[in-house]
Amino acid sequence: MVGHTQLKIRMAVVGTILFGLYLAVAGFVLTAFGTGTPVLILLSLGMVGYPFILYKFGRWSAVRGVGAEEMPERREAGYRFDEIHRSTERLCDEMDLEKPKLMIAEMGMPNAFAVGRRADGVVVISREIIEILDHDELEGVIAHELAHLDNRDTVMMVMGQSIAALVGMVTYIVVAFRGERDIASIITGYLASMVAQMIVTVFLMAISRYREYVADADAAEYTRNPDAMARALEKISAGAEGKEMTAEESVSALCIFGGERGLFATLFASHPPTEKRIERLRSM
């Protein structure tokens, strides 16, 4: 079993590689276009403004994409909303985390996800997951999502997506506008851009898989009940069989359960295999 600290070290290494690519993009722009004021302004807008816009839009579209509504603080129609609020408050106190806005949605399958930052987070929980989980299992899911906020996972993933887009753009410029600058160069540049973005995406998805293991471990630590988290994953996996998320793939990547994939798709999967997550939790 890979320890919690080792997982965070792996995330730091992969994150450093992505940050190195970010600096390489900035270096290319400065080398190619100089260090004049207009270039520096455009570079700042691209390197800072683009991730900020992507973060804000991504948060809005994720919540809107599942039709989430603010979760009531009282029990309604058999849903234990009051218990969810109390558990969230207790966990936030332990994690020294500001309580996020809690929202409820119908996702077509049992799931949950978190977006935002430590001081401005949102946790969306599906009605389907409330219906199938016991209280201690649901508390494990809440702790998992709070761990994502505490570890700034959403911010890191947005930065990674920005890097992939910027690296692809720079690759296209370098390839397409070198040499003859004809239709063949444009096509080659487009293909090279896709390959470059794919390579960055592999690193990004590696971070995504590691962050799930770390969030599982954090949830087990703060609830002091790794078995409840393991049971929750088992029930979620069983409850998701034959069902599809009523949201885009970008939202699925944020969720606690990302579905099962084939061998090749595992390289680009945002989540590790559920059985491995359960195995790690049961070994704690």
Side-chain angles (χ1 to χ4, degrees), residues 50 54 156-166 204-205 250:
Y50 177 68
L54 191 63
M156 178 175 284
M157 294 304 290
V158 168
M159 290 299 296
Q161 291 168 6
S162 303
I163 292 168
L166 292 171
L204 184 60
M205 291 301 100
S250 57

Side-chain angles (χ1 to χ4, degrees), residues 147-167:
H148 281 313
L149 295 176
D150 192 38
N151 295 330
R152 300 174 177 84
D153 289 333
T154 302
V155 176
M156 178 175 284
M157 294 304 290
V158 168
M159 290 299 296
Q161 291 168 6
S162 303
I163 292 168
L166 292 171
V167 167

